[in-house]
Amino acid sequence: MMSVSIKRAEKAGTIKRSWFNEASRMVSRFCKAITDNRYHGVMGGRVLTGNSLCSLWLVTMVIILLPASGNAQEQDKTNYVPATYLREAAENNPALRAQYRDYLASLEQVPQVGTLPDPELAFGYFASPIETRVGPQQARLGLTQMFPWFGTLGARSDAATEAARAKFEAFRELRNKLFYDIYDAWYRLYDIKQSTRITREHIDILETFEALALQRYENDQVSQADVLRVQIEKEDLKTRLALLEDNRAVALRQFNELLNRDPDTGVALPDSISPASLEHPVTEIERLMLSRNPDISRVEFEAASARSSIEAARKEGLPRFGIGLDYIITGERNMVLPDNGKDAMMARGAVQIPLFRDKYRAMERQAELRLQAVQDRQTATRNRLQTQFQEALRDYNDARRTIELYQTVQIQRTEQAIDILTEAYAAGSTDFEELLRLQRKLLDYELSRQHAIARQNRAVAFIQYLYGKHNVSRKAVGLHNE
């Protein structure tokens, strides 16, 4: 479906350019006919020669076609990146999958640190049996279980759980960044597509100017410099067009790399998109950013993990307790006795005293320093996000002003100036270079307007990334990966 839409768009652009070139050739043949037959016309009380009529026809065609070429793509106002690309990236991006597996691996740490140590089973054999009243003791079996201080296992488990949650927030951050990268790459591809379209239309218009200049040069009305100016400008644009094609190939590869698919796979792009707007007021966005951004959530969980680690380190320095049970195998005597050969059982208790305190003090200091580092990162993260938001907001406002300037002021005024110069040039009272400069300026404005639209939409996508618009829950990710 995507490839079909791309082919239709390319076909439409090819048809339009072919029609434009064919119209140029028809008008050129018309100019030659009226010039050879010395036709005359009247405009505003003035008698126009065949050369003047030809010039008027050529320039009028450019003026008529230029606004059409600038607005022909303003039909479809869709403004979104297809959701299929986001789903495909979420499922196939190798860096994202690796980050999610890191989170799953961190979950396996919780039962490791929250479980009692393994019991100890011991066996002893008396090389020289110990004689007792009921017989010689021959062997002994012992089972011992040690217990850490009360709350130690819970503190360890809490620290590991909070660390795992921090890993999940890192996964969410990478997922949101991936989605923003997709938006960014998609809008860049759209920008390149529009720049290519505008550049090709500009080349078509310059070819019409070239025909006009050649016609007037052949009739000794202008010097050869007019023809050379158009040709120089046209070659410059062809070089720019070749660079755009190279940029498109690189941008396409970058986009497909995010989706982990063949680098030459096509991307569906609309003929036009409208400038995106912010979904919330600025103050609300700042509040959402500080409460929903995964980077902030990640350092908060890291801080919680560090606090639990401090508590666990303190409890590690407290005594450990153990209980045990010994079973003693006793042989029989060669006489009749009460309880002859009766095996014995013994219950035991143990206390492990942490006498060497340096190790435990170092563990506490390590956990406290880690907490201080996390708290510093919290402050740095908030400052960074607020700065990034202000930068994105600046880019958004600048792009919005640029669009409004070009669309409602600069382009309209330039078109009015072109209309005035067209009549003057048809009468031979203005410089061809000035008309050419204004035509180039008009298309430059149109090109800048398209750049501003893409820039504004990228700024909106980045702001959405900052406040976690695409946050996903652990439950949703778990169901998705099942």
Side-chain angles (χ1 to χ4, degrees), residues 16-47:
K16 186 173 74 172
R17 288 192 299 275
S18 300
W19 179 86
F20 191 99
N21 294 332
E22 183 62 27
S24 300
R25 287 192 292 270
M26 291 176 63
V27 173
S28 297
R29 288 196 295 270
F30 169 75
C31 287
K32 187 176 186 303
I34 63 175
T35 301
D36 293 345
N37 292 281
R38 302 182 182 278
Y39 289 152
H40 294 74
V42 179
M43 183 179 71
R46 296 181 54 186
V47 177

Short mmCIF file of all heavy atoms in Angstrom, two decimals, residues 16-47:
data_model
loop_
_atom_site.label_atom_id
_atom_site.label_comp_id
_atom_site.label_asym_id
_atom_site.label_seq_id
_atom_site.Cartn_x
_atom_site.Cartn_y
_atom_site.Cartn_z
N LYS A 16 3.12 16.31 -14.19
CA LYS A 16 3.06 17.76 -14.11
C LYS A 16 4.28 18.39 -14.79
O LYS A 16 4.17 19.35 -15.53
CB LYS A 16 2.97 18.20 -12.66
CG LYS A 16 2.77 19.70 -12.52
CD LYS A 16 2.52 20.11 -11.10
CE LYS A 16 3.81 20.02 -10.33
NZ LYS A 16 3.67 20.59 -8.99
N ARG A 17 5.47 17.82 -14.54
CA ARG A 17 6.66 18.37 -15.17
C ARG A 17 6.63 18.19 -16.68
O ARG A 17 7.05 19.05 -17.44
CB ARG A 17 7.91 17.70 -14.57
CG ARG A 17 8.21 18.14 -13.16
CD ARG A 17 9.59 17.69 -12.74
NE ARG A 17 9.71 16.23 -12.76
CZ ARG A 17 9.35 15.47 -11.75
NH1 ARG A 17 8.84 16.00 -10.67
NH2 ARG A 17 9.51 14.17 -11.83
N SER A 18 6.12 17.05 -17.16
CA SER A 18 6.01 16.82 -18.59
C SER A 18 5.06 17.83 -19.23
O SER A 18 5.33 18.39 -20.30
CB SER A 18 5.53 15.39 -18.86
OG SER A 18 6.43 14.47 -18.31
N TRP A 19 3.93 18.09 -18.55
CA TRP A 19 2.98 19.08 -19.06
C TRP A 19 3.63 20.46 -19.11
O TRP A 19 3.45 21.22 -20.05
CB TRP A 19 1.75 19.11 -18.17
CG TRP A 19 0.73 20.13 -18.61
CD1 TRP A 19 -0.25 19.96 -19.54
CD2 TRP A 19 0.63 21.47 -18.14
NE1 TRP A 19 -0.96 21.12 -19.68
CE2 TRP A 19 -0.44 22.07 -18.84
CE3 TRP A 19 1.34 22.22 -17.22
CZ2 TRP A 19 -0.82 23.39 -18.62
CZ3 TRP A 19 0.97 23.52 -17.01
CH2 TRP A 19 -0.11 24.10 -17.71
N PHE A 20 4.41 20.78 -18.07
CA PHE A 20 5.07 22.08 -18.02
C PHE A 20 6.04 22.22 -19.19
O PHE A 20 6.06 23.24 -19.89
CB PHE A 20 5.81 22.20 -16.68
CG PHE A 20 6.31 23.58 -16.38
CD1 PHE A 20 5.60 24.41 -15.54
CD2 PHE A 20 7.49 24.04 -16.93
CE1 PHE A 20 6.05 25.68 -15.25
CE2 PHE A 20 7.95 25.30 -16.65
CZ PHE A 20 7.24 26.13 -15.81
N ASN A 21 6.85 21.20 -19.44
CA ASN A 21 7.82 21.27 -20.53
C ASN A 21 7.13 21.34 -21.88
O ASN A 21 7.56 22.05 -22.79
CB ASN A 21 8.75 20.06 -20.47
CG ASN A 21 9.63 20.09 -19.23
OD1 ASN A 21 9.95 21.16 -18.71
ND2 ASN A 21 10.03 18.91 -18.75
N GLU A 22 6.03 20.57 -22.03
CA GLU A 22 5.30 20.58 -23.28
C GLU A 22 4.69 21.96 -23.52
O GLU A 22 4.71 22.49 -24.65
CB GLU A 22 4.21 19.51 -23.26
CG GLU A 22 3.41 19.41 -24.57
CD GLU A 22 4.29 19.01 -25.75
OE1 GLU A 22 5.32 18.34 -25.53
OE2 GLU A 22 3.94 19.41 -26.89
N ALA A 23 4.16 22.57 -22.47
CA ALA A 23 3.61 23.92 -22.60
C ALA A 23 4.69 24.91 -23.01
O ALA A 23 4.46 25.82 -23.82
CB ALA A 23 2.96 24.35 -21.29
N SER A 24 5.89 24.74 -22.45
CA SER A 24 6.99 25.63 -22.82
C SER A 24 7.32 25.51 -24.29
O SER A 24 7.55 26.50 -24.98
CB SER A 24 8.22 25.31 -21.97
OG SER A 24 7.94 25.49 -20.60
N ARG A 25 7.35 24.27 -24.79
CA ARG A 25 7.67 24.07 -26.22
C ARG A 25 6.57 24.66 -27.10
O ARG A 25 6.85 25.26 -28.15
CB ARG A 25 7.85 22.57 -26.50
CG ARG A 25 9.14 22.01 -25.94
CD ARG A 25 9.41 20.61 -26.49
NE ARG A 25 8.45 19.65 -25.99
CZ ARG A 25 8.63 18.95 -24.86
NH1 ARG A 25 9.71 19.13 -24.15
NH2 ARG A 25 7.73 18.09 -24.46
N MET A 26 5.31 24.52 -26.70
CA MET A 26 4.21 25.06 -27.51
C MET A 26 4.29 26.58 -27.59
O MET A 26 4.12 27.18 -28.66
CB MET A 26 2.87 24.64 -26.91
CG MET A 26 2.57 23.15 -27.04
SD MET A 26 1.02 22.70 -26.22
CE MET A 26 -0.13 23.66 -27.19
N VAL A 27 4.58 27.21 -26.43
CA VAL A 27 4.67 28.67 -26.45
C VAL A 27 5.87 29.11 -27.26
O VAL A 27 5.82 30.13 -27.96
CB VAL A 27 4.74 29.20 -25.00
CG1 VAL A 27 5.00 30.70 -24.99
CG2 VAL A 27 3.47 28.89 -24.27
N SER A 28 6.97 28.37 -27.21
CA SER A 28 8.14 28.72 -28.00
C SER A 28 7.81 28.66 -29.49
O SER A 28 8.21 29.53 -30.28
CB SER A 28 9.30 27.77 -27.68
OG SER A 28 9.68 27.92 -26.34
N ARG A 29 7.05 27.61 -29.90
CA ARG A 29 6.67 27.53 -31.32
C ARG A 29 5.74 28.68 -31.70
O ARG A 29 5.82 29.25 -32.79
CB ARG A 29 5.98 26.17 -31.58
CG ARG A 29 6.94 24.99 -31.54
CD ARG A 29 6.31 23.76 -32.18
NE ARG A 29 5.17 23.28 -31.43
CZ ARG A 29 5.27 22.38 -30.45
NH1 ARG A 29 6.45 21.89 -30.12
NH2 ARG A 29 4.20 21.99 -29.80
N PHE A 30 4.84 29.06 -30.73
CA PHE A 30 3.94 30.18 -30.98
C PHE A 30 4.75 31.46 -31.16
O PHE A 30 4.47 32.28 -32.05
CB PHE A 30 2.97 30.31 -29.81
CG PHE A 30 2.16 31.59 -29.82
CD1 PHE A 30 1.11 31.76 -30.70
CD2 PHE A 30 2.50 32.63 -28.97
CE1 PHE A 30 0.39 32.94 -30.71
CE2 PHE A 30 1.78 33.80 -28.97
CZ PHE A 30 0.72 33.96 -29.84
N CYS A 31 5.77 31.66 -30.32
CA CYS A 31 6.59 32.86 -30.42
C CYS A 31 7.29 32.93 -31.78
O CYS A 31 7.36 33.98 -32.41
CB CYS A 31 7.63 32.86 -29.31
SG CYS A 31 6.94 33.21 -27.68
N LYS A 32 7.80 31.77 -32.22
CA LYS A 32 8.49 31.77 -33.51
C LYS A 32 7.53 32.11 -34.63
O LYS A 32 7.84 32.87 -35.57
CB LYS A 32 9.12 30.40 -33.74
CG LYS A 32 10.01 30.33 -34.99
CD LYS A 32 10.67 28.97 -35.10
CE LYS A 32 11.68 28.97 -36.26
NZ LYS A 32 11.07 29.33 -37.55
N ALA A 33 6.28 31.60 -34.52
CA ALA A 33 5.30 31.85 -35.59
C ALA A 33 4.93 33.33 -35.67
O ALA A 33 4.91 33.93 -36.74
CB ALA A 33 4.06 31.00 -35.35
N ILE A 34 4.64 33.94 -34.51
CA ILE A 34 4.19 35.33 -34.57
C ILE A 34 5.35 36.26 -34.92
O ILE A 34 5.17 37.32 -35.48
CB ILE A 34 3.54 35.75 -33.23
CG1 ILE A 34 4.53 35.68 -32.09
CG2 ILE A 34 2.33 34.90 -32.93
CD1 ILE A 34 3.97 36.21 -30.78
N THR A 35 6.60 35.81 -34.57
CA THR A 35 7.74 36.65 -34.92
C THR A 35 8.01 36.60 -36.41
O THR A 35 8.25 37.61 -37.08
CB THR A 35 8.98 36.19 -34.13
OG1 THR A 35 8.70 36.27 -32.74
CG2 THR A 35 10.18 37.08 -34.45
N ASP A 36 7.98 35.37 -36.98
CA ASP A 36 8.23 35.22 -38.41
C ASP A 36 7.18 35.93 -39.23
O ASP A 36 7.47 36.49 -40.31
CB ASP A 36 8.27 33.73 -38.78
CG ASP A 36 9.49 33.05 -38.15
OD1 ASP A 36 10.41 33.78 -37.70
OD2 ASP A 36 9.49 31.80 -38.08
N ASN A 37 5.91 35.93 -38.78
CA ASN A 37 4.83 36.53 -39.56
C ASN A 37 4.55 37.99 -39.19
O ASN A 37 3.61 38.59 -39.69
CB ASN A 37 3.54 35.71 -39.37
CG ASN A 37 3.66 34.34 -40.00
OD1 ASN A 37 3.51 34.18 -41.21
ND2 ASN A 37 3.97 33.34 -39.17
N ARG A 38 5.39 38.55 -38.30
CA ARG A 38 5.31 39.96 -37.92
C ARG A 38 3.90 40.34 -37.45
O ARG A 38 3.31 41.32 -37.87
CB ARG A 38 5.72 40.85 -39.09
CG ARG A 38 7.14 40.55 -39.57
CD ARG A 38 7.53 41.50 -40.71
NE ARG A 38 8.84 41.17 -41.19
CZ ARG A 38 9.99 41.57 -40.62
NH1 ARG A 38 9.93 42.33 -39.55
NH2 ARG A 38 11.15 41.24 -41.13
N TYR A 39 3.35 39.52 -36.51
CA TYR A 39 2.05 39.84 -35.93
C TYR A 39 2.19 41.03 -34.99
O TYR A 39 3.24 41.30 -34.42
CB TYR A 39 1.49 38.66 -35.15
CG TYR A 39 1.05 37.51 -36.03
CD1 TYR A 39 1.07 36.19 -35.55
CD2 TYR A 39 0.61 37.75 -37.33
CE1 TYR A 39 0.66 35.15 -36.34
CE2 TYR A 39 0.18 36.70 -38.14
CZ TYR A 39 0.22 35.41 -37.65
OH TYR A 39 -0.19 34.38 -38.41
N HIS A 40 1.07 41.76 -34.84
CA HIS A 40 1.04 42.89 -33.92
C HIS A 40 -0.18 42.77 -33.03
O HIS A 40 -1.15 42.11 -33.37
CB HIS A 40 0.99 44.24 -34.68
CG HIS A 40 2.23 44.52 -35.47
ND1 HIS A 40 2.53 43.86 -36.66
CD2 HIS A 40 3.25 45.39 -35.23
CE1 HIS A 40 3.69 44.32 -37.14
NE2 HIS A 40 4.14 45.26 -36.28
N GLY A 41 -0.10 43.43 -31.87
CA GLY A 41 -1.23 43.45 -30.96
C GLY A 41 -1.30 44.80 -30.27
O GLY A 41 -0.38 45.63 -30.37
N VAL A 42 -2.37 45.02 -29.58
CA VAL A 42 -2.58 46.28 -28.88
C VAL A 42 -2.86 45.98 -27.42
O VAL A 42 -3.68 45.13 -27.11
CB VAL A 42 -3.75 47.08 -29.50
CG1 VAL A 42 -3.96 48.37 -28.72
CG2 VAL A 42 -3.49 47.35 -30.97
N MET A 43 -2.18 46.70 -26.50
CA MET A 43 -2.42 46.56 -25.06
C MET A 43 -2.24 47.92 -24.41
O MET A 43 -1.19 48.56 -24.56
CB MET A 43 -1.43 45.56 -24.43
CG MET A 43 -1.71 45.31 -22.94
SD MET A 43 -0.57 44.14 -22.20
CE MET A 43 0.92 45.13 -22.20
N GLY A 44 -3.29 48.36 -23.74
CA GLY A 44 -3.22 49.65 -23.06
C GLY A 44 -2.98 50.80 -24.02
O GLY A 44 -2.32 51.77 -23.67
N GLY A 45 -3.50 50.69 -25.25
CA GLY A 45 -3.33 51.77 -26.23
C GLY A 45 -2.00 51.72 -26.93
O GLY A 45 -1.74 52.55 -27.82
N ARG A 46 -1.14 50.76 -26.58
CA ARG A 46 0.16 50.65 -27.24
C ARG A 46 0.16 49.49 -28.21
O ARG A 46 -0.43 48.44 -27.95
CB ARG A 46 1.26 50.43 -26.20
CG ARG A 46 1.43 51.60 -25.22
CD ARG A 46 2.54 51.31 -24.25
NE ARG A 46 3.78 50.98 -24.96
CZ ARG A 46 4.90 50.56 -24.34
NH1 ARG A 46 4.89 50.41 -23.03
NH2 ARG A 46 5.97 50.29 -25.04
N VAL A 47 0.85 49.67 -29.34
CA VAL A 47 0.98 48.61 -30.34
C VAL A 47 2.16 47.74 -29.97
O VAL A 47 3.28 48.23 -29.76
CB VAL A 47 1.17 49.22 -31.76
CG1 VAL A 47 1.39 48.09 -32.76
CG2 VAL A 47 -0.01 50.07 -32.13
#
